[in-house]
Amino acid sequence: MNKKAKELKQQKREAITSTLQAKIRANREKVHECLRVGDSAGASHYSSLNTQLRGMLK
């Protein structure tokens, strides 16, 4: 692969990582909100989504 292609690939990887991390942060806030209002099913749902997203980051 040439240098330009490698740079583009790295930029795409960083963009995807950044997006996944933002979704994880948003879901973490939703988990806390659900727990605050006593919605354990909602908290479990968003926590499970975060587990899946973290798996995608590896």
Side-chain angles (χ1 to χ4, degrees):
M1 236 187 263
N2 64 27
K3 187 175 180 179
K4 187 73 168 174
K6 285 182 181 180
E7 288 176 9
L8 283 173
K9 188 173 181 180
Q10 182 63 27
Q11 287 174 353
K12 286 180 183 179
R13 184 178 293 121
E14 289 171 358
I16 291 169
T17 298
S18 176
T19 300
L20 288 174
Q21 289 173 337
K23 287 182 180 186
I24 289 171
R25 278 192 301 275
N27 283 348
R28 188 178 307 128
E29 291 175 14
K30 289 178 183 178
V31 168
H32 290 298
E33 178 64 19
C34 287
L35 290 174
R36 188 182 68 76
V37 298
D39 180 8
S40 60
S44 177
H45 169 74
Y46 287 112
S47 180
S48 176
L49 286 177
N50 268 1
T51 301
Q52 293 173 12
L53 291 172
R54 281 193 299 273
M56 294 171 87
L57 281 175
K58 293 182 180 181

